[in-house]
Amino acid sequence: RESLEAALEAFPGTVLLVTHDRALLDAVSGRLLALEDQKVVSYEGGWAEYHARDEVEAAPKAAKPKQVKPKAERPKGPGALEQVEREIAKTEERVAGLEQQLAGDWTNTELVSAHTTARTELEGLLARWEALYAEL
């Protein structure tokens, strides 16, 4: 997936990409086409922008204005989503480093094992990120 992202970002032309991978959509898309009510609808941005717009449109219209509650103070420091994003970045770097080492020697079983473990950890972090993002 990382190689596909890099190739798509480097490609100077236009690409029609069909995927259910939301993270990939966010990473490489400048426009999203959605099939809605048997029509193709165009949206600027990636999955996050589409999802945010979809939530705003789906919000029930209130008959009376809502009372504005004072915002709770956010705790200092990074939130859970930001922490997971940092862990994802570190793990992606570790995976990339292992892949560079493996490019020279795929017979090194310790490297293969470390790579498999790192990829599994990365998949878990990405699933955690998706769950945290869905909570927002």
Side-chain angles (χ1 to χ4, degrees):
R1 189 175 140 268
E2 292 169 1
S3 297
L4 176 60
E5 268 184 46
L8 290 173
E9 288 172 357
F11 184 69
T14 300
V15 174
L16 175 62
L17 174 67
V18 179
T19 182
H20 290 276
D21 187 335
R22 297 175 199 157
L24 181 62
L25 286 173
D26 266 341
V28 300
S29 65
R31 175 175 303 278
L32 188 132
L33 300 176
L35 298 174
E36 298 175 348
D37 298 320
Q38 298 179 351
K39 296 177 188 171
V40 177
V41 183
S42 175
Y43 297 96
E44 288 292 325
W47 171 257
E49 291 87 0
Y50 170 78
H51 188 63
R53 186 178 300 115
D54 196 36
E55 284 182 346
V56 168
E57 290 174 3
K61 307 292 185 229
K64 59 182 179 179
K66 293 182 180 180
Q67 291 182 346
V68 178
K69 296 179 184 176
K71 290 185 179 181
E73 238 181 84
R74 290 186 69 190
K76 301 287 184 206
L81 191 64
E82 293 167 337
Q83 288 176 341
V84 171
E85 287 173 346
R86 288 179 186 162
E87 290 179 46
I88 288 171
K90 289 177 186 175
T91 307
E92 285 175 335
E93 287 178 21
R94 192 168 79 235
V95 168
L98 290 167
E99 287 173 350
Q100 280 186 326
Q101 292 175 352
L102 285 170
D105 182 13
W106 276 96
T107 61
N108 185 332
T109 56
E110 288 180 19
L111 280 178
V112 172
S113 177
H115 179 259
T116 302
T117 301
R119 291 291 299 179
T120 302
E121 182 181 336
L122 181 59
E123 288 172 11
L125 288 168
L126 291 170
R128 175 77 176 131
W129 182 90
E130 286 182 9
L132 288 169
Y133 184 81
E135 288 177 15
L136 293 177

